[in-house]
Amino acid sequence: MTLSVLAFLVLVAAFTIGSLTSISAGLLALVAAFGVGSLAAGLPLSDVIGEFPAGLFLILVGATLLFGIVRETGTIDLMAYWAERLAGGRRLLVPVLMFALAALLAAAGAFTPAAIAIVAPVALALGSRFGISSLAMGLVVIQGANAGAFSPVNPFGVIANDMLDQAGAGGDATLRLFLSVFAFNAVLAVVAYAVVQSAVGWLDRRSSAATPAGDTDSPTAGREPGPGGGAATAVAERTAVSGITRVRATPMRILALVGMGSLLVLTTVLGIDVGVATLVIALVLIIVRPSVQKPVIDAMPWSAILLVTGIVTYVGMLETIGALDDLQEGIAGLGNASLAALAVSYVVGLASAFASTTGTLTVIGPVVAPIAADPTLSVVGVVTAVGISSSVVDTSPMSTSGALLMASAPPRLERMFFRALLLWAIAMIAIVPVVAWLLFVQLGIG
């Protein structure tokens, strides 16, 4: 057994134990990174420690702190109230509005995590008002951000367009790439919304049928309610009967909104790191109202932060010992350009689920360009398939986008969100690369 195979098996074991028990998969992966990296691979301990994702840690801490303050001050309720008025009671318009907002921010150049950090808390709060699953709303927001992420001014789009240039694409290739990715994510958002809403509704109906009336000790108590019953449906019914409850725009809430707008400017225009920007804005809000600091910090999802950073540390160690390079070498040796495009799509999907999509696209670029340049294939089709495969798995709780979604979710849903997002990401890794390959590489759509 090679070292690379052993290292991947250890990662699978950490996921399995973490999913079946209450032991943190992140803690297991963090300790395993030192064991495999130092003992098996002979890396200096300092090198393994250096793989700890300090940037991602700052993003998670900064985002959860800032949006904890936004939630504590009632600013999310205010934004949900405004969006609710815009929706005018039309339930299906809610996910459409949130998808469009996330896509618009990303297409305007907002780094995808920034767009999700801004939209997700509002989308989840608004969804609860209409009896929509928080998970369904979260997936719609991520797909919206991904839909706009391949515009020429977004970091994803910049990297993908560089691949197009290296492969010799010209003309309207940039526009075709953007429109193809946008359309694919729009369809996927509809599928995600329908699947999750149907699943949650079915679970609610089954639990309602199995639980006697008035029984509050149901095994599903505390689980996320859905459209088939539960608290969220009751809220939606009361809203429909009694009208929209007005939320006042207080000075503190207006200041928090200014802070969220500043986040977009700082990250998009000035190029400041998302984590640093969120920490700065959070500090300003805390200085204005110190009383929010303690309850917000106490409510931060530290277990989720440990989970994500631990897994990402292990994946970084895998890259250092060359396990990911072994995969890339295997792809290069396939010979057939079309099969190589499919294999690259699966590799970037798997790697991006546990690491930075931007970093994954950057690393894989030199491999993609010669494949896309093959005269038997569509240059835009290959880059589109790879781009979709790498970004669609951002729902993974180990990616920045998925982690931000977990941070935006109510604390009681943290474990459910982790498992559901992980299962969805696994499904995306298994299904999307081959679908994108068939559509854009084999059929040449776009």
Side-chain angles (χ1 to χ4, degrees):
M1 181 184 297
T2 66
L3 178 60
S4 295
V5 173
L6 172 63
F8 279 116
L9 289 177
V10 170
L11 180 60
V12 171
F15 272 121
T16 303
I17 295 172
S19 299
L20 299 178
T21 72
S22 60
I23 301 173
S24 169
L27 180 59
L28 288 168
L30 194 59
V31 173
F34 295 113
V36 176
S38 296
L39 299 180
L43 292 176
L45 200 59
S46 58
D47 287 359
V48 180
I49 294 174
E51 295 301 331
F52 182 82
L56 177 58
F57 176 79
L58 287 178
I59 289 175
L60 293 175
V61 171
T64 52
L65 181 61
L66 173 59
F67 289 99
I69 295 171
V70 171
R71 183 182 293 113
E72 182 73 15
T73 57
T75 308
I76 290 178
D77 293 331
L78 175 63
M79 297 175 69
Y81 163 67
W82 287 343
E84 189 174 3
R85 290 189 61 183
L86 182 62
R90 290 163 290 188
R91 188 168 182 258
L92 288 179
L93 188 57
V94 174
V96 174
L97 286 172
M98 295 298 101
F99 176 92
L101 179 57
L104 178 63
L105 291 174
F111 194 46
T112 307
I116 293 170
I118 291 171
V119 179
V122 182
L124 268 59
L126 186 60
S128 68
R129 289 174 180 259
F130 280 80
I132 299 174
S133 162
S134 297
L135 179 62
M137 288 298 293
L139 291 176
V140 166
V141 169
I142 290 184
Q143 298 313 143
N146 285 340
F150 284 82
S151 79
V153 296
N154 188 284
F156 287 6
V158 171
I159 298 170
N161 279 290
D162 185 56
M163 292 183 200
L164 291 175
D165 292 339
Q166 292 181 35
D172 59 350
T174 295
L175 178 61
R176 289 162 55 199
L177 169 68
F178 174 72
L179 292 178
S180 296
V181 174
F182 190 99
F184 190 94
N185 278 284
V187 172
L188 187 57
V190 173
V191 172
Y193 180 85
V195 168
V196 174
Q197 280 292 94
S198 298
V200 172
W202 178 78
L203 288 173
D204 279 342
R205 288 191 294 273
R206 191 179 69 167
S207 63
S208 297
T211 305
D215 186 358
T216 58
D217 295 324
S218 162
T220 57
R223 181 177 55 78
E224 180 189 17
T233 303
V235 170
E237 291 172 350
R238 287 198 299 272
T239 299
V241 172
S242 60
I244 300 173
T245 303
R246 184 172 181 271
V247 180
R248 293 176 55 244
T250 64
M252 186 63 194
R253 290 169 182 168
I254 295 298
L255 180 61
L257 287 174
V258 172
M260 294 173 69
S262 300
L263 174 62
L264 185 61
V265 174
L266 291 173
T267 56
T268 303
V269 179
L270 301 181
I272 297 177
D273 178 80
V274 175
V276 174
T278 51
L279 286 172
V280 170
I281 297 169
L283 177 59
V284 171
L285 295 176
I286 288 174
I287 291 174
V288 175
R289 181 173 290 182
S291 61
V292 302
Q293 177 178 286
K294 187 178 188 309
V296 169
I297 292 180
D298 289 346
M300 287 180 67
W302 295 109
S303 59
I305 293 173
L306 173 63
L307 176 67
V308 174
T309 53
I311 296 293
V312 174
T313 299
Y314 190 90
V315 173
M317 182 275 300
L318 286 179
E319 186 174 2
T320 300
I321 65 175
L324 299 184
D325 290 336
D326 291 343
L327 286 176
Q328 293 182 12
E329 289 177 5
I331 292 171
L334 288 175
N336 185 290
S338 181
L339 289 179
L342 177 61
V344 168
S345 296
Y346 271 107
V347 169
V348 296
L350 183 62
S352 185
F354 307 105
S356 164
T357 302
T358 306
T360 302
L361 284 172
T362 302
V363 170
I364 208 68
V367 178
V368 173
I371 295 173
D374 189 290
T376 63
L377 302 179
S378 163
V379 175
V380 176
V382 172
V383 175
T384 299
V386 171
I388 288 173
S389 300
S390 66
S391 59
V392 78
V393 296
D394 283 352
T395 51
S396 163
M398 269 67 69
S399 73
T400 306
S401 297
L404 284 170
L405 189 58
M406 285 184 62
S408 303
R412 64 185 177 83
L413 299 179
E414 176 188 311
R415 192 165 183 82
M416 182 279 290
F417 254 63
F418 173 75
R419 289 181 173 177
L421 289 175
L422 182 59
L423 286 174
W424 184 264
I426 291 172
M428 293 299 97
I429 293 171
I431 298 171
V432 168
V434 68
V435 172
W437 176 73
L438 286 171
L439 291 175
F440 302 107
V441 179
Q442 291 296 95
L443 298 180
I445 296 175

